[in-house]
Amino acid sequence: MNILVPLKRVPDYAVKAKLSPDSQSVVTDGVKWIVNPFDEIAVEEAVRIKEKRPDTEIVVVSIGPSSTTEQVRTALAMGADRAILVTTDGAVDSDLAHRVLAEIVARGDYRLVIMGKQAIDSDASQTGPLLASRLNWPQATFASKLEIDDTWTSATVTREVDGGLETVQIQLPGVVTTDLRLNEPRYPSLPGIVKAKKQPLEEIPLASLGIESAPKLKIHQFAYPPQRKAGTKVSSVEELVAKLQNDAKVL
Amino acid sequence: MGSVALYIENNGEKLPKSSLSALAAALEIKQAHGHEKVIGVLIGGTGTSAAANEAAQYGLDEVLYVQSSALEQYLALQYAETLKLAVDAVQPAVIVAASTSRGKDFLPRIAQLFDAGQASDCTAILPGGKYRRPMYAGNVLADVEITTAVQVVTIRPSAFGAASKAGTCAVRELAVHVLEEPRMKFVRFDQVKNERPELGEAEIVVSGGRALKSAETFQQHILPLADALGAAVGASRAAVDSGYAPNDWQVGQTGKVVAPKLYIAVGISGAIQHLAGMKDSKTIVAINKDSEAPIFEVADYGLVADLFEVVPQLTEAVKKARGQ
Ligand SMILES: Cc1cc2nc3c(=O)[nH]c(=O)nc-3n(C[C@H](O)[C@H](O)[C@H](O)COP(=O)(O)OP(=O)(O)OC[C@H]3O[C@@H](n4cnc5c(N)ncnc54)[C@H](O)[C@@H]3O)c2cc1C
């Protein structure tokens, strides 16, 4: 059975985003690119499934400039079988991404799509459900546990939702999005990294897919949020309580 | 021009605070963007008609609801199909919902079904048909315009106050045929037992981090302080990952976003991802033994100390101050 794992490259999560001087864009020159952490969890989950069921084929797909091959190779080194990179130098938002992914799904024979619940740059949390809806597939978002039955007919998924943990069963094919507690992604092994260099990576120019790509969302400008003023250090619990009572008036 | 359709999430007969925030945001969108009316839409099982009557008291123009035993449990496919049918009747220009876990789960499906652009997790309604939304863990704000005929907007509940009661409007039940959908089944819900205020609704939040060391010590230190303050309890990702606190308590970029009057961060370093979930709190207190911890950069009051020493003292001092 085939699993598709879409992944996005995003700027390193440890670094604060910076704006261009005209506030028209977020600076990406010189940033360190990584695999979106939630997508890394998705790759790991697919690899764990394959370890239990060797007849699984894992295909990773990304959309971005040619240099995204680096992040795609990371996923191959973790244990994916082959990769597709849909190349474009343009902006890719959730809407465009889900259209491209639907086209990739249509060109294969996938039983399951596992992807991140959100990308940590755009923070939109849309692509998974958008894709599921376009395919008219069921979905289970925010997964912290995923079990697939023996015949790949259904998946039982525990979801991290408001108020606790919800378990649902979805029929396959379906879309699952990952939450932080699903697994801890492995580091690619050295042999994995060597092997990844030779694994198949197909590049498809976005333009060749014939996808309507007029953006539905137009960003007019960016700004930094208001910065908090630096506060004061207190030296004791008594002083803290006094400040909270008399200055902040929150007690 | 056109109307605003507002999906109102209900919990049986109850409307959570997030729904009242979405309500306030929808009314603001109507005002700011010149729409004719706001129509509230509820869908669900038992209790939905009562919740619809409750929702009708906040100044909406009309409330519609679909109540069916097939909607007793929330499931994305069923809810998306039903909301689509219910909202079709309204022919809305904008569809609004709160960005709760449910809103995040199925509003993109609504956007897809209407071929609409979606602005997620908006924190402000701007003039000229625009919305403001945070990106990059809240370090950047983007002013966006949705260019499609139908717009989908989810709003961040902590950024909008709860709507207050205003005129009562008509309530109408919609007879929507809810399709049999065998492809998604509810299995079970393991609810976090919690008698404390809800994280998203509380005026005070006490959060614990990795420094709490274990579930037991988390409970021994954070919970008594929270209870003395009548506060909700939050946690950092590290505390949740380590099993000190349930997932529902995670505050941050990829957990809950809160903006209480008082936020107390205990043994939390203040990573970008955590700050994203609490830096709009009115007053922030940080307790950390490392004076260089980044949490102090956003804290109004910082106490550099060992939490195991000072948190019990603080709990006692709070009790005394509040005459408990
Ligand atoms: C994709 C992604 C999403 C994420 N989403 C979130 C999110 O939503 N929310 C979130 O919180 N994090 C999130 N994180 C994790 C985040 O980057 C940090 O790793 C996390 O917030 C750290 O938690 P912490 O502050 O409890 O632990 P640490 O960073 O380990 O900090 C512990 C702190 O406790 C202090 N300390 C230790 N002992 C004591 C003591 N005895 N007394 C007082 N102080 C003490 C230390 O000085 C230190 O500052 C995310 C990360 C990624 C990659």
Side-chain angles (χ1 to χ4, degrees):
Chain A
M1 288 299 175
N2 300 345
I3 301 176
L4 183 69
V5 182
L7 65 87
K8 182 179 184 182
R9 71 165 206 183
V10 296
D12 184 1
Y13 63 81
V15 179
K16 263 195 190 174
K18 282 204 184 63
L19 298 181
S20 63
D22 64 358
S23 294
Q24 289 302 302
S25 61
V26 174
V27 175
T28 54
D29 284 350
V31 307
K32 182 181 158 217
W33 296 100
I34 60 167
V35 177
N36 178 44
F38 289 100
D39 304 345
E40 213 173 17
I41 295 172
V43 174
E44 175 65 30
E45 194 64 17
V47 173
R48 290 186 189 192
I49 293 168
K50 187 182 166 87
E51 283 168 348
K52 278 188 250 155
R53 303 180 190 201
D55 63 335
T56 307
E57 186 184 47
I58 304 168
V59 181
V60 293
V61 54
S62 192
I63 312 163
S66 279
S67 52
T68 311
T69 45
E70 193 186 327
Q71 285 70 41
V72 168
R73 295 260 181 229
T74 303
L76 290 171
M78 287 172 71
D81 296 294
R82 60 186 179 88
I84 301 167
L85 176 59
V86 177
T87 51
T88 173
D89 289 326
V92 183
D93 63 6
S94 313
D95 179 68
L96 177 57
H98 98 279
R99 289 165 192 277
V100 171
L101 295 176
E103 177 61 28
I104 298 299
V105 169
R107 292 175 176 211
D109 176 22
Y110 298 100
R111 209 59 198 149
L112 183 62
V113 177
I114 312 179
M115 56 201 288
K117 75 164 180 177
Q118 84 190 67
I120 59 157
D121 51 0
S122 53
D123 280 337
S125 303
Q126 293 180 19
T127 311
L130 279 173
L131 176 64
S133 183
R134 176 159 294 266
L135 298 169
N136 189 22
W137 283 5
Q139 72 187 44
T141 54
F142 323 140
S144 64
K145 194 170 174 211
L146 166 61
E147 276 167 33
I148 298 162
D149 69 354
D150 292 340
T151 54
W152 289 81
T153 312
S154 71
T156 303
V157 183
T158 302
R159 309 178 53 230
E160 295 199 356
V161 298
D162 294 343
L165 294 171
E166 179 192 83
T167 305
V168 293
Q169 196 181 59
I170 63 168
Q171 274 180 26
L172 301 179
V175 173
V176 170
T177 77
T178 60
D179 217 317
L180 294 169
R181 261 67 61 177
L182 185 59
N183 60 50
E184 241 178 84
R186 70 195 64 195
Y187 291 104
S189 67
L190 204 55
I193 293 167
V194 173
K195 191 168 153 243
K197 293 197 178 121
K198 297 187 216 106
Q199 272 164 296
L201 195 164
E202 180 190 2
E203 289 195 28
I204 306 174
L206 174 63
S208 74
L209 294 179
I211 288 169
E212 156 73 73
S213 64
K216 292 185 161 73
L217 220 59
K218 193 173 158 206
I219 298 179
H220 283 266
Q221 69 164 24
F222 293 100
Y224 290 115
Q227 298 300 307
R228 289 189 79 96
K229 285 193 197 79
T232 52
K233 293 249 169 65
V234 292
S235 57
S236 69
V237 167
E238 291 69 40
E239 194 187 341
L240 175 59
V241 171
K243 292 263 193 228
L244 291 177
Q245 274 186 308
N246 306 327
D247 297 356
K249 301 197 184 347
V250 284
L251 276 193
Chain B
M1 293 167 335
S3 50
V4 178
L6 164 70
Y7 167 66
I8 302 174
E9 187 171 336
N10 64 307
N11 207 336
E13 298 186 358
K14 290 208 193 81
L15 297 181
K17 192 264 167 188
S18 56
S19 289
L20 297 181
S21 296
L23 219 152
L27 292 169
E28 201 180 320
I29 291 171
K30 167 178 147 175
Q31 277 286 323
H33 296 175
H35 297 290
E36 277 157 30
K37 48 192 175 179
V38 182
I39 299 172
V41 184
L42 291 87
I43 60 181
T46 327
T48 302
S49 69
N53 283 313
E54 167 74 15
Q57 297 171 30
Y58 291 89
L60 297 176
D61 295 285
E62 193 180 10
V63 170
L64 310 174
Y65 71 94
V66 181
Q67 181 165 313
S68 159
S69 57
L71 299 170
E72 205 63 56
Q73 304 295 348
Y74 167 77
L75 290 163
L77 264 175
Q78 282 87 327
Y79 269 56
E81 287 295 334
T82 307
L83 185 62
K84 165 82 166 70
L85 292 173
V87 168
D88 264 341
V90 175
Q91 293 203 316
V94 191
I95 302 169
V96 182
S99 115
T100 57
S101 56
R102 185 181 293 189
K104 285 178 188 159
D105 186 51
F106 92 109
L107 262 292
R109 290 191 84 109
I110 295 293
Q112 196 280 322
L113 293 170
F114 280 95
D115 200 25
Q118 173 175 332
S120 297
D121 214 18
C122 297
T123 53
I125 317 299
L126 306 176
K130 294 198 278 281
Y131 304 92
R132 180 164 293 157
R133 60 173 305 268
M135 297 170 71
Y136 295 87
N139 286 308
V140 162
L141 302 174
D143 293 351
V144 302
E145 179 190 344
I146 306 169
T147 56
T148 45
V150 180
Q151 310 178 350
V152 171
V153 177
T154 63
I155 62 96
R156 173 176 288 188
S158 66
F160 296 87
S164 31
K165 296 223 164 151
T168 304
C169 68
V171 176
R172 187 153 58 92
E173 177 166 15
L174 282 183
V176 167
H177 179 64
V178 182
L179 297 172
E180 275 292 309
E181 179 49 81
R183 292 179 300 157
M184 275 193 82
K185 269 198 295 226
F186 173 81
V187 179
R188 125 182 131 249
F189 184 48
D190 300 307
Q191 192 170 2
V192 181
K193 284 197 198 67
N194 190 14
E195 274 107 57
R196 296 184 182 82
E198 286 291 320
L199 244 187
E201 306 180 4
E203 298 216 314
I204 304 180
V205 174
V206 179
S207 287
R210 193 197 311 270
L212 270 302
K213 282 198 177 123
S214 74
E216 291 71 43
T217 43
F218 189 100
Q219 283 157 17
Q220 284 162 9
H221 290 82
I222 300 299
L223 303 193
L225 177 57
D227 291 341
L229 288 160
V233 182
S236 70
R237 173 192 174 179
V240 176
D241 282 4
S242 313
Y244 309 167
N247 64 281
D248 186 45
W249 292 0
Q250 183 182 312
V251 170
Q253 179 191 16
T254 64
K256 288 216 172 76
V257 179
V258 299
K261 278 193 185 146
L262 174 61
Y263 186 92
I264 305 183
V266 180
I268 293 177
S269 61
I272 291 173
Q273 293 79 17
H274 189 79
L275 300 185
M278 44 65 77
K279 70 174 159 41
D280 291 330
S281 305
K282 194 147 180 291
T283 300
I284 297 175
V285 170
I287 299 175
N288 196 305
K289 70 177 182 190
D290 172 10
S291 65
E292 302 288 307
I295 190 76
F296 288 122
E297 287 161 30
V298 301
D300 300 284
Y301 306 110
L303 181 56
V304 181
D306 183 342
L307 76 93
F308 295 106
E309 212 172 282
V310 297
V311 170
Q313 292 173 12
L314 180 58
T315 305
E316 287 313 311
V318 167
K319 280 187 187 164
K320 224 160 129 198
R322 304 191 123 203
Q324 290 170 359

